[in-house]
Amino acid sequence: NASLLGILQHPDGTVLKQLQPPPRGPREQEFYNKVYDSDCCDSILLELREYLPKYFGVWSPPTAPNDKYLKLEDVTRKFNKPCIMDVKIGQKSYDPYASAEKIQQQVSKYPLMEEIGFLVLGMRVYHVSSDSYETQNQHYGRSLTKETVKDGISKFFHNGYCLRKDAIAASIQKIEKILEWFEGQKQLNFYASSLLFVYEGSCQATTVRLSDVTLAEKRGVPKGLLSGRDILEYNNNIHVINSTENGKIEASVSKGLSKFYALHKKAYSKRHHSQLSLKVETLEQDNVWKSSTCITQEHLNGNVIPQLEKVFCHMPAEIKESANVEVRMIDFAHVFPSNTKDEGYIYGLKNLITVLQNILDN
């Protein structure tokens, strides 16, 4: 099934999305090229970049120059336990040029699209209590009705202990920015496009820079510790690309991968934690540590991560903030030039905000 395309993770922190067959693949490539054109001076497109994954052009494996992949930022990379949800937005998931057959097929997949304005395509939620992920596929989203959609979405923000109201509030703020963009532009209409939501599932903050090691970046593994050959095995939804000794890259795509942009990565093995040494001087100079008690070298050595977790959990709120949430637009195989506002997408965004706000208020 062409729509179930593999997302490959590249060791350099990007993901590779295989180009779909024409006209969809070329259309998506053209969209990214237009938005990320270095000569672009259209303020609307320049602002749009903030809401997309960064784009690094088209990539082909040396061994198969005709296989094309979009090289995109891995939005999940900075998270320790990324919780991920993919929500298709709009009242129509077929584009203006779709055949009657295609329209019928899309409408029958989810007849409530027109009324609800969005569809949950999948989610992956980290449960703190069991230290495991719960996943839901597209059948889950299609089973949601007007009455159950609120509970259906709130599942994404529930970690087994509590409802992550901070993540919901941050998500609403980010969707509102995207909505403002849509209210101000009449040049593009989006069909069958998605919002990718990611928030941090673990309670340890993961974006504080410790000397030159960012916990989140390497999951607690110092830079340079992993050689190209030492790429760890991720879950079976993703094939990691192997860097071979001569620097060439071999890609493998498995058939029938889920449509997820990228799914969670297993944490690096525990044995690396003890090899993480931190320069205490650097830490103490850093503002973040001014509010915390002084940590001695012996406390840090040998038991780094649990110690850091204790410190992180007592960080002042303004440092923790709610910014450990990403909301990005993805999937642009059906984006068309237009001279009107994208009312279907706007309707979907507004309704999604309403649903999220209802979850917060109750």
Side-chain angles (χ1 to χ4, degrees):
N1 182 344
S3 70
L4 297 174
L5 290 173
I7 293 290
L8 301 172
Q9 279 169 320
H10 192 294
D12 68 5
T14 61
V15 292
L16 297 171
K17 177 183 179 180
Q18 189 165 24
L19 218 60
Q20 297 174 62
R24 291 171 301 164
R27 204 187 288 130
E28 182 162 35
Q29 182 184 343
E30 194 186 328
F31 168 79
Y32 275 112
N33 285 341
K34 180 177 169 155
V35 174
Y36 283 94
D37 186 339
S38 55
D39 297 331
C40 175
C41 52
D42 179 338
S43 61
I44 284 173
L45 297 184
L46 292 173
E47 189 194 332
L48 178 58
R49 292 179 187 179
E50 293 173 39
Y51 312 124
L52 310 184
K54 290 191 187 73
Y55 172 63
F56 303 100
V58 174
W59 180 89
S60 298
T63 49
N66 295 329
D67 289 356
K68 290 202 165 89
Y69 295 82
L70 298 170
K71 202 170 197 299
L72 302 165
E73 169 190 9
D74 178 357
V75 179
T76 69
R77 183 178 169 85
K78 69 177 184 185
F79 294 89
N80 181 34
K81 299 286 185 189
C83 298
I84 302 165
M85 178 170 65
D86 180 337
V87 182
K88 191 190 278 192
I89 306 288
Q91 290 177 283
K92 296 180 169 72
S93 55
Y94 52 88
D95 67 47
Y97 304 96
S99 64
E101 187 187 11
K102 177 72 177 174
I103 293 172
Q104 178 52 42
Q105 178 220 9
Q106 285 298 318
V107 171
S108 63
K109 270 189 181 175
Y110 193 58
L112 294 169
M113 198 75 186
E114 192 85 31
E115 188 183 8
I116 295 178
F118 61 83
L119 166 63
V120 176
L121 291 178
M123 67 172 72
R124 184 172 183 92
V125 188
Y126 177 69
H127 281 191
V128 181
S129 37
S130 57
D131 185 28
S132 63
Y133 282 87
E134 182 189 345
T135 56
Q136 301 292 348
N137 64 18
Q138 54 183 332
H139 299 291
Y140 173 80
R142 286 198 233 143
S143 72
L144 299 176
T145 64
K146 209 174 175 195
E147 291 67 46
T148 60
V149 71
K150 180 180 147 210
D151 290 342
I153 293 240
S154 69
K155 196 182 198 46
F156 174 62
F157 294 99
H158 208 288
N159 64 11
Y161 281 135
C162 66
L163 186 64
R164 287 287 305 276
K165 291 197 164 191
D166 60 322
I168 299 172
S171 297
I172 291 171
Q173 285 183 335
K174 303 226 164 184
I175 302 167
E176 280 172 341
K177 291 285 293 173
I178 294 171
L179 176 58
E180 270 176 47
W181 182 84
F182 270 90
E183 293 281 17
Q185 71 89 20
K186 289 183 171 181
Q187 53 176 290
L188 293 171
N189 281 5
F190 295 73
Y191 302 90
S193 186
S194 285
L195 286 184
L196 185 81
F197 291 78
V198 191
Y199 72 87
E200 180 54 70
S202 76
C203 60
Q204 98 197 30
T206 55
T207 47
V208 177
R209 194 164 273 287
L210 307 172
S211 98
D212 71 340
V213 175
T214 299
L215 270 185
E217 243 174 43
K218 291 289 186 195
R219 313 287 192 287
V221 182
K223 288 204 168 103
L225 192 66
L226 289 176
S227 69
R229 303 280 315 166
D230 195 20
I231 303 297
L232 297 162
E233 185 192 330
Y234 292 161
N235 78 13
N236 60 11
N237 285 311
I238 293 175
H239 276 250
V240 175
I241 291 174
N242 229 345
S243 305
T244 50
E245 277 134 355
N246 59 10
K248 277 196 188 133
I249 288 185
E250 297 160 355
S252 62
V253 187
S254 86
K255 290 194 177 74
L257 288 190
S258 89
K259 190 174 164 295
F260 260 122
Y261 177 82
L263 292 164
H264 102 294
K265 306 175 252 310
K266 283 187 183 150
Y268 287 84
S269 59
K270 294 278 196 299
R271 71 192 165 84
H272 294 313
H273 286 163
S274 59
Q275 297 168 18
L276 176 62
S277 68
L278 300 169
K279 294 198 184 76
V280 175
E281 319 88 74
T282 325
L283 296 180
E284 284 173 6
Q285 288 158 11
D286 210 319
N287 288 341
V288 170
W289 301 94
K290 291 202 174 124
S291 62
S292 73
T293 51
C294 181
I295 309 169
T296 65
Q297 186 71 42
E298 71 189 284
H299 273 138
L300 277 170
N301 280 355
N303 203 6
V304 179
I305 302 301
Q307 287 299 325
L308 291 178
E309 266 185 277
K310 279 180 200 155
V311 175
F312 286 139
C313 290
H314 295 104
M315 274 203 291
E318 66 271 14
I319 293 177
K320 268 188 201 162
E321 61 170 322
S322 57
N324 251 359
V325 173
E326 287 287 353
V327 179
R328 303 287 184 97
M329 297 167 62
I330 58 168
D331 292 342
F332 306 112
H334 304 273
V335 178
F336 294 89
S338 165
N339 49 21
T340 60
K341 277 206 244 182
D342 190 340
E343 297 297 352
Y345 200 108
I346 288 172
Y347 175 92
L349 290 180
K350 285 182 174 172
N351 203 31
L352 183 52
I353 290 169
T354 302
V355 170
L356 290 170
Q357 195 60 56
N358 282 340
I359 296 169
L360 261 193
D361 295 344
N362 299 336

